[in-house]
Amino acid sequence: MPAQNPVYWVHWLHTKALWDRWAEELLLIGHEMHWTIKFLAHKAETWLGRTTQNGEPVEDGLRCYVIRQAQMYRQLAEDAHARFAEVDQTFGHNL
């Protein structure tokens, strides 16, 4: 606890506010890393769901495009996971 001098209190409170902001930022970044991977995986699954229309397979050209888009989003999710694991060894997320 800081001394009774108001100047020390102001500096102590300022430093505590900075510390609290950084702690919150670290928490949010961890969540954002998980949200990013979930979003990209969801986009991949959404694109794969477009291989059929009303239970019927789509045309070959459209099917190729849909599969390519799904692969792109899946690759982005895998790359994001690898990068996040590089910077945070405690990062764990199932793809």
Side-chain angles (χ1 to χ4, degrees):
M1 184 137 205
Q4 296 300 324
N5 187 337
V7 172
Y8 291 117
W9 272 104
V10 169
H11 288 291
W12 184 84
L13 289 171
H14 177 71
T15 304
K16 183 179 181 325
L18 286 174
W19 177 267
D20 291 345
R21 280 196 296 263
W22 275 108
E24 181 183 23
E25 188 65 28
L26 282 174
L27 177 68
L28 288 174
I29 286 173
H31 289 301
E32 288 170 355
M33 290 179 348
H34 287 281
W35 296 334
T36 299
I37 292 172
K38 282 180 142 182
F39 171 76
L40 293 169
H42 170 74
K43 291 293 280 185
E45 292 302 317
T46 300
W47 275 104
L48 281 179
R50 295 176 181 165
T51 57
T52 59
Q53 202 170 36
N54 298 330
E56 298 292 321
V58 295
E59 298 172 15
D60 288 342
L62 181 56
R63 187 172 185 280
C64 288
Y65 178 76
V66 165
I67 291 172
R68 179 67 186 122
Q69 289 297 108
Q71 287 175 341
M72 178 188 68
Y73 279 108
R74 175 54 78 184
Q75 187 63 49
L76 285 170
E78 290 172 3
D79 289 347
H81 184 275
R83 298 288 188 267
F84 295 157
E86 283 178 15
V87 296
D88 183 2
Q89 282 70 33
T90 64
F91 181 76
H93 187 90
N94 297 330
L95 281 176

